[in-house]
Amino acid sequence: MSVSTAVEQTENNAPLQILAPDGTVVRPDLMPKLSDDELRELMRKMVFTRVWDQRAISLNRQGRLGFYAPVAGQEASMIGSEAALSKEDFILPSYRDIPQMVWHGYPMHKAFLYSRGHIEGGRIPEGVNVLMPQIIIAAQCTQATGVAMGYKLRGEKKVAINYFGDGATSQGDFYEGMNFAGVYKLPVIFFSQNNGYAISLPFEKQTASENIAVKAVAAGIASERVDGMDILAVYYAVQQAKERGVNGEGATLIEAMTYRYGPHTMAGDDPTRYRTGEEQSEWELRDPLIRFRKFLEAKGLWSEKDEEAVIEEAKAAVADAIKKADETPKMKVSELIDVMFETLPPALEEQKAEFLAKESK
């Protein structure tokens, strides 16, 4: 079925690219209309996110965070896609997509509390249009169609975007979500960050499909393959997908070809057991920060001083966020029981009473 005009113009359905790895512009006709300040802000967010990721890994190793999925390497996919949205659009993330949530308005200290399993991590501030990270693989694909259906029924010019890895495209919810979105022409963006591995399983061992984007054909929705290490290409692709959605042209599946430098999560995964050093070195040559930095430096928009300032900003922000998380009162089991139902059933009332008695001692 349909793909965007830009993708149709690429040879052999190669991923759409605006910036080459050396930072030169290869598709000036597709360059997003961004001001110098907006370009600098994209770089600031990527550098900030890389530093934040490094600090989060360190905090995890210290036992100060719980579950954590590293993001280094995927910053362009994450930052570029969120930046192309408005704050009124809705984000439905997977467990790796904390950066998009935070840049969309979700407080960082709540992200740290979420990592610890604290109830406050799930209390999203009013007006911040995100759901909590979905642990069930691909469940957000069907949930996003529900959000998008609500927008369509209300006549609101907004889109819902859901993020998932390449492994999620082997799940039923992925196909069901796209099929529903195709039938009703919903304003929803299915954004797959294809980093080549579903934990340790290589992409070619989980599907015989040539790529992920082609899976949109059966659902009757548009699709685009994009260089996920190129923040401008990602921005352009999501911008086009949003326009399609709000103009009543339906959903889009975006496949962003990217790479995670670290483990799948910090819960014991060892990527050296299933990836070679040569492969990682090849992907590091496409590093999204290096690529965009070269582009900005050539335009006189970025310097070493700018980068150092952002690094210090990120370190201070992370330190402040973890301090706020540490100062949050520890969660009690009775509190958890309280939020399970509006009116607690008798069995839970009994359990709550038991825990209240223990907690009062």
Side-chain angles (χ1 to χ4, degrees):
M1 154 80 183
S2 60
V3 291
S4 74
T5 302
V7 174
E8 288 174 339
Q9 291 173 351
T10 60
E11 295 182 2
N12 301 318
N13 202 26
L16 176 66
Q17 187 179 88
I18 293 176
L19 293 180
D22 64 0
T24 56
V25 179
V26 294
R27 291 297 301 272
D29 56 315
L30 301 182
M31 179 69 71
K33 295 180 180 179
L34 296 168
S35 68
D36 289 350
D37 286 343
E38 289 171 327
L39 291 170
R40 284 170 52 83
E41 181 65 3
L42 290 177
M43 186 63 187
R44 185 188 77 84
K45 288 180 176 179
M46 282 206 293
V47 173
F48 187 110
T49 301
R50 179 70 61 90
V51 175
W52 160 22
D53 183 62
Q54 293 166 349
R55 306 296 279 185
I57 290 171
S58 177
L59 289 166
N60 174 274
R61 288 171 174 161
Q62 294 169 26
R64 300 178 68 190
L65 285 186
F67 179 84
Y68 185 72
V71 305
Q74 296 188 206
E75 294 94 345
S77 291
M78 294 174 166
I79 307 305
S81 59
E82 192 281 329
L85 305 171
S86 71
K87 291 296 186 276
E88 286 71 39
D89 296 321
F90 217 101
I91 289 179
L92 295 92
S94 74
Y95 45 78
R96 197 182 308 281
D97 302 304
I98 306 298
Q100 298 97 300
M101 294 175 64
V102 170
W103 294 121
H104 214 60
Y106 177 68
M108 185 186 290
H109 78 279
K110 283 186 174 285
F112 290 155
L113 290 170
Y114 157 77
S115 174
R116 295 175 176 181
H118 196 291
I119 195 171
E120 283 297 328
R123 289 191 166 124
I124 300 168
E126 188 71 27
V128 177
N129 292 328
V130 303
L131 283 189
M132 291 310 298
Q134 181 57 260
I135 299 297
I136 301 172
I137 306 300
Q140 64 272 34
C141 296
T142 50
Q143 293 168 344
T145 60
V147 175
M149 177 63 92
Y151 285 156
K152 181 168 184 175
L153 291 175
R154 295 172 185 168
E156 296 177 340
K157 297 292 186 179
K158 305 173 185 177
V159 297
I161 186 170
N162 59 105
Y163 293 93
F164 47 92
D166 44 297
T169 66
S170 293
Q171 295 290 330
D173 283 4
F174 166 72
Y175 293 98
E176 292 158 10
M178 287 202 304
N179 186 67
F180 192 90
V183 169
Y184 292 99
K185 283 191 171 295
L186 298 181
V188 57
I189 302 169
F190 299 93
F191 194 96
S192 177
Q193 297 183 83
N194 184 354
N195 61 28
Y197 294 89
I199 306 182
S200 59
L201 188 70
F203 178 74
E204 63 271 12
K205 289 190 176 181
Q206 64 150 316
T207 180
S209 180
E210 179 184 355
N211 55 56
I212 290 171
V214 74
K215 297 188 178 191
V217 174
I221 67 174
S223 65
E224 295 191 1
R225 298 188 77 222
V226 61
D227 183 343
M229 310 295 266
D230 176 358
I231 193 167
L232 294 182
V234 171
Y235 185 98
Y236 174 85
V238 174
Q239 186 180 56
Q240 295 298 304
K242 175 173 176 172
E243 286 185 14
R244 253 183 239 119
V246 300
N247 291 331
E249 298 172 30
T252 302
L253 168 63
I254 295 175
E255 177 184 11
M257 305 302 295
T258 186
Y259 198 78
R260 58 171 166 83
Y261 296 148
H264 176 69
T265 73
M266 296 300 293
D269 175 47
D270 179 7
T272 64
R273 297 181 64 182
Y274 54 86
R275 301 191 313 203
T276 65
E278 291 77 13
E279 177 185 288
Q280 176 137 346
S281 295
E282 288 177 8
W283 276 97
E284 287 175 351
L285 294 174
R286 312 176 204 178
D287 189 288
L289 274 68
I290 295 174
R291 181 184 306 201
F292 200 52
R293 184 187 297 122
K294 289 179 177 178
F295 167 74
L296 293 181
E297 287 175 343
K299 292 172 65 68
L301 297 177
W302 198 255
S303 67
E304 186 175 338
K305 185 178 179 181
D306 292 322
E307 187 131 350
E308 290 173 354
V310 177
I311 290 171
E312 293 308 311
E313 176 195 0
K315 288 179 179 178
V318 172
D320 181 63
I322 198 67
K323 183 173 182 290
K324 285 183 181 178
D326 288 341
E327 291 172 348
T328 302
K330 293 187 181 298
M331 190 177 72
K332 298 177 181 179
V333 175
S334 58
E335 291 178 309
L336 178 62
I337 294 175
D338 253 340
V339 299
M340 294 176 69
F341 295 91
E342 184 175 1
T343 302
L344 291 180
L348 283 179
E349 284 283 10
E350 292 177 10
Q351 290 183 38
K352 179 183 173 182
E354 292 176 8
F355 281 105
L356 281 172
K358 293 177 183 178
E359 292 164 0
S360 64
K361 292 180 180 178

